Amino acid sequence: MPWTEFTVPYVKSLIVTPDDPPLYYLLVGNVLYRSADRGATWSREPLPGIPAEAEIATVAMDYRHPQTMYLATSQGLYRREADAEPWGLVNTMRVTALAVDFLNPDILWAGVP
């Protein structure tokens, strides 16, 4: 059987809140999903404030304040401090990997190209 080219989305990032029950956030392709039932069902997370043309590289969370999340995109680094808030641009640096320091959430560890 000849090989045909097709695109299969893959998981770029998975984060889990320390809440009980936890929330799961999954980045597949360029879409962020959320599950409140330990992965049984998933819903697409709206991304207000993120430019439509931005390619999302990864998602990170402040585990001391799990409502604070970060998205690393081709257009820069964005932060959201609550579910209902839009994402705001933090820095225009292109980031490909990101982590929030466990001891000091004011420190972000970033991988850059």
Side-chain angles (χ1 to χ4, degrees):
M1 173 187 233
W3 177 260
T4 57
E5 187 174 327
F6 61 93
T7 302
V8 177
Y10 62 93
V11 174
K12 291 182 179 179
S13 275
L14 171 66
I15 56 175
V16 180
T17 68
D19 305 319
D20 189 23
L23 296 175
Y24 294 3
Y25 290 91
L26 181 71
L27 182 61
V28 176
N30 215 36
V31 179
L32 184 63
Y33 294 94
R34 175 182 172 159
S35 176
D37 56 11
R38 300 180 194 269
T41 60
W42 295 88
S43 60
R44 189 176 185 150
E45 272 292 282
L47 299 174
I50 302 297
E53 67 277 6
E55 185 175 326
I56 303 171
T58 192
V59 60
M61 175 189 310
D62 174 351
Y63 284 94
R64 290 182 180 250
H65 308 98
Q67 69 280 5
T68 301
M69 296 176 60
Y70 296 87
L71 278 180
T73 78
S74 59
Q75 305 293 315
L77 179 62
Y78 290 81
R79 177 178 55 224
R80 177 181 78 180
E81 298 199 17
D83 284 343
E85 290 185 12
W87 295 85
L89 183 64
V90 174
N91 193 298
T92 57
M93 176 186 339
R94 185 167 183 192
V95 176
T96 57
L98 186 66
V100 181
D101 192 279
F102 282 112
L103 299 177
N104 183 351
D106 291 333
I107 298 173
L108 298 178
W109 299 94
V112 296

